[in-house]
Amino acid sequence: MPHFYAECTENIREQANLPELFSKVNQALAETGIFPLGGIRSRAIWLDTWHMADGKHDYAFVHMTLKIGAGRSLESRQQVGELLFTLIKEHFASLMARQYLALSFTMEELDPVLNYKQNNVHSLFRKE
């Protein structure tokens, strides 16, 4: 953990430039020092069917979620949330200037008990 999800409307697939966003998000999360590098993942969920507002314009939206493991302070979570949302708004600023676009971001803390995982990538980043 953390896992970053971006749900995007298909009409902005190229303009959204999600590979660049994901690179920025992963780097920012790594630089916080509070998440293990081997657990950071970003992914897109493209929506080919949606209806937004009155449907009269070429509306688009990107809803992003950061899922994190339990145990970090509220202050740490708020700092990460503000950091990421600032990064997100900067990334989409030029697209928002050209098109009707809704951005939203939420952070979810996973249950500390009902959260199962196995990962051998962490061993690449452990300091000896």
Side-chain angles (χ1 to χ4, degrees):
M1 286 290 163
H3 293 197
F4 182 80
Y5 298 77
E7 293 178 68
C8 302
T9 55
E10 181 67 36
N11 62 332
I12 59 169
R13 183 181 280 265
E14 289 188 31
Q15 303 93 321
N17 195 0
L18 290 186
E20 180 181 303
L21 175 64
F22 292 165
S23 179
K24 293 175 190 175
V25 165
N26 284 25
Q27 181 177 351
L29 290 171
E31 289 175 356
T32 66
I34 63 173
F35 301 107
L37 183 58
I40 299 172
R41 298 180 201 142
S42 294
R43 66 195 80 158
I45 302 165
W46 290 102
L47 306 171
D48 64 1
T49 307
W50 74 95
H51 189 87
M52 190 171 164
D54 59 8
K56 293 182 180 182
H57 298 278
D58 189 27
Y59 300 116
F61 70 82
V62 183
H63 174 68
M64 292 146 286
T65 304
L66 181 68
K67 294 186 179 188
I68 64 171
R72 286 150 185 107
S73 70
L74 176 59
E75 181 181 79
S76 293
R77 288 180 284 150
Q78 284 178 312
Q79 288 173 350
V80 168
E82 290 169 14
L83 170 75
L84 287 186
F85 198 56
T86 296
L87 186 154
I88 289 162
K89 290 186 295 184
E90 289 171 0
H91 179 82
F92 286 105
S94 63
L95 181 56
M96 187 168 267
R98 299 188 314 267
Q99 179 168 358
Y100 292 112
L101 175 65
L103 299 175
S104 55
F105 171 68
T106 187
M107 188 181 308
E108 297 176 8
E109 187 176 40
L110 300 177
D111 187 285
V113 177
L114 301 175
N115 181 9
Y116 307 92
K117 53 191 169 239
Q118 182 177 356
N119 179 344
N120 67 0
V121 178
H122 291 292
S123 63
L124 289 172
F125 302 102
R126 285 198 185 106
K127 295 180 181 167
E128 296 181 30

